[in-house]
């Protein structure tokens, strides 16, 4: 991203350098810089507040020392109106990080974001995929041509290991260990982990790797996932679109790869898997993430447990 926004150009570029030096992930850097650039635009040309917002207009500024708390609050309100509370929350966190960096670099004495709360967002319950849906999807990639074999291996990895979209896509051949049945991934915060998968998934990945070896570029491209007739690696956005086309073609509507992560968490907990092991596999550091993902089909699991533990039925 070209981090240039008028009078804040140097600060944006210096912060980008700091983020790279801290080994932040490419996605984190992209998101943070997007937030900071939007805030810089707001600072240099703040739009008038909506009539029903109850906010006073703020002055444009061209120096970090002149940024006030009202600028941060006004920016958040503006982003909520322009996009959504969820998006505004993400933008606020990026701006908060940028201002905190300015304090550490002694560009400003105190962060104007102090005391400003991030917008409250109610996480929607992500629909899990049913057994029938999964079987229908897998039947659509049961062929032996390159696209079907590749897509089946990818779909099973998403489902069987609960990994994120990018964690599956951004892999090389060396990241696959078929003997130990683990996929070596790099998660958020550049934290690596070995994610296990089952025998059926191992067979699907093995079949793809063998077919990949016969690909015209199979021996010259290190990326695990490649196109049918090209040496270009499959991208994160390309994989998402690929899954959407597959799911829509077999009448399931648009399925997003992240639904597999929620489905994995649901099936793991429903089968009696422990929260600690779930956190280790998925790469979560906070148990609140278990609660967040467990909301998907949580009522279904509660009903099933009640059938087993019903006090009335034990009388």
């Amino acid at each position: 991203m070209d981090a240039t926004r008028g009078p804040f150009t140097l600060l944006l570029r210096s912060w980008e350098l700091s983020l790279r030096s801290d080994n932040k992930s490419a996605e984190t850097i992209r998101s943070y810089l997007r937030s900071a650039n939007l805030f810089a635009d707001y600072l240099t040309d703040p739009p008038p507040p909506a009539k029903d917002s109850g906010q006073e207009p703020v002055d444009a500024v061209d120096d970090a020392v002149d940024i006030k708390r009202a600028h941060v609050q006004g920016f958040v309100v503006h982003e909520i109106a322009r996009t959504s509370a969820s998006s505004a929350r993400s933008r606020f966190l990026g701006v908060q990080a940028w201002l905190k960096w300015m304090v550490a670099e002694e560009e400003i004495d105190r962060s104007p974001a102090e005391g400003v709360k991030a917008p409250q967002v109610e996480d929607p319950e992500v629909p899990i995929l049913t057994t029938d849906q999964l079987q229908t999807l897998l039947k659509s990639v049961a062929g032996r041509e390159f696209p079907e074999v590749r897509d089946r291996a990818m779909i099973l990895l998403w489902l069987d290991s609960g990994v994120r979209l990018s964690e599956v896509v951004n892999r090389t051949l060396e990241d696959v260990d078929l003997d130990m049945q683990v996929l070596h991934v790099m998660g958020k915060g550049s934290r690596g982990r070995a994610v296990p998968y089952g025998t059926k998934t191992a067979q699907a990945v093995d079949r793809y790797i063998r077919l990949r070896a016969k690909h015209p570029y199979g021996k010259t491209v290190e990326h695990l996932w490649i196109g049918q007739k090209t040496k270009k690696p499959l991208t994160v956005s390309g994989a998402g679109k690929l899954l959407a086309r597959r799911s829509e073609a077999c009448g399931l509507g648009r399925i997003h790869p992240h639904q597999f992560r929620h489905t994995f968490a649901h099936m793991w907990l429903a089968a009696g898997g422990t929260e600690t092991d779930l956190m280790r596999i998925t790469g979560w550091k906070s148990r609140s993430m278990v609660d967040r993902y467990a909301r998907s089909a949580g009522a279904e699991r509660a009903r099933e447990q009640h059938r087993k533990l019903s006090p009335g039925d034990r009388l």
Side-chain angles (χ1 to χ4, degrees):
M1 176 179 290
D2 182 15
T4 55
R5 285 297 187 275
F8 297 100
T9 296
L10 292 179
L11 286 176
L12 286 163
R13 287 178 173 171
S14 295
W15 189 44
E16 179 178 3
L17 179 62
S18 177
L19 292 171
R20 297 189 186 284
S21 176
D22 290 341
N23 199 29
K24 298 293 185 182
S25 70
E27 179 60 26
T28 296
I29 293 174
R30 185 201 65 79
S31 178
Y32 274 8
L33 290 179
R34 174 63 175 161
S35 300
N37 274 291
L38 286 171
F39 186 50
D41 284 343
Y42 179 88
L43 292 171
T44 55
D45 187 20
K51 293 182 179 179
D52 58 350
S53 69
Q55 284 196 308
E56 295 293 328
V58 294
D59 295 327
V61 299
D62 57 9
D63 194 314
V65 298
D66 294 324
I67 301 174
K68 308 298 182 184
R69 179 174 178 173
H71 289 105
V72 179
Q73 293 173 320
F75 173 70
V76 171
V77 172
H78 173 69
E79 286 298 300
I80 291 175
R82 189 179 71 87
T83 57
S84 66
S86 177
S87 179
R89 179 182 177 85
S90 176
R91 297 304 172 215
F92 168 75
L93 294 176
V95 169
Q96 186 181 53
W98 187 34
L99 294 172
K100 183 178 180 180
W101 171 83
M102 288 189 205
V103 174
E105 291 293 311
E106 299 183 351
E107 294 288 344
I108 56 179
D109 295 329
R110 183 176 180 180
S111 170
E114 282 187 19
V116 180
K117 295 183 179 180
Q120 292 297 312
V121 178
E122 185 66 31
D123 291 323
E125 184 173 308
V126 177
I128 66 163
L129 301 171
T130 66
T131 299
D132 287 344
Q133 287 176 314
L134 292 170
Q135 290 177 342
T136 298
L137 184 61
L138 289 173
K139 284 180 181 178
S140 73
V141 286
R144 291 303 179 98
E145 296 299 318
F146 186 86
E148 287 83 5
V149 172
R150 178 199 60 198
D151 297 355
R152 184 180 184 85
M154 192 180 309
I155 289 169
L156 280 172
L157 276 173
W158 277 325
L159 171 66
D160 204 23
S161 61
V163 288
R164 299 177 180 90
L165 166 62
S166 61
E167 291 176 342
V168 165
V169 176
N170 297 330
R171 301 276 63 80
T172 67
L173 281 171
E174 292 184 355
D175 292 326
V176 181
D177 189 332
L178 290 171
D179 294 327
M180 295 296 294
Q181 292 183 198
V182 297
L183 180 69
H184 296 279
V185 305
M186 188 64 67
K188 291 185 176 181
S190 299
R191 295 190 296 264
R193 68 185 192 281
V195 182
Y197 49 83
T199 301
K200 289 184 178 180
T201 300
Q203 290 176 328
V205 174
D206 174 66
R207 183 174 292 125
Y208 166 67
I209 289 177
R210 284 188 284 112
L211 190 58
R212 183 189 182 285
K214 301 175 184 178
H215 190 283
Y217 301 102
K219 295 182 180 179
T220 59
V221 179
E222 65 176 4
H223 290 86
L224 177 59
W225 312 104
I226 53 179
Q228 182 179 8
K229 298 179 180 180
T230 176
K231 64 179 179 180
K232 292 183 178 179
L234 192 64
T235 63
V236 170
S237 62
K241 293 175 182 177
L242 178 154
L243 175 63
R245 287 196 300 269
R246 290 284 186 195
S247 60
E248 289 174 343
C250 55
L252 298 176
R254 190 180 186 89
I255 292 177
H256 189 279
H258 211 63
Q259 286 180 256
F260 288 108
R261 191 163 168 85
H262 283 264
T263 300
F264 171 79
H266 163 67
M267 296 178 73
W268 179 272
L269 294 172
T274 69
E275 293 184 357
T276 299
D277 287 339
L278 177 61
M279 290 175 62
R280 185 174 292 111
I281 292 171
T282 55
W284 296 328
K285 295 300 180 183
S286 169
R287 199 163 294 273
S288 64
M289 291 301 294
V290 177
D291 296 335
R292 177 181 173 185
Y293 278 75
R295 279 201 294 270
S296 294
E300 177 186 331
R301 291 193 303 276
R303 288 193 297 270
E304 183 60 31
Q305 285 297 309
H306 187 272
R307 292 189 189 99
K308 297 177 182 179
L309 305 175
S310 170
D313 289 349
R314 287 186 287 166
L315 292 175

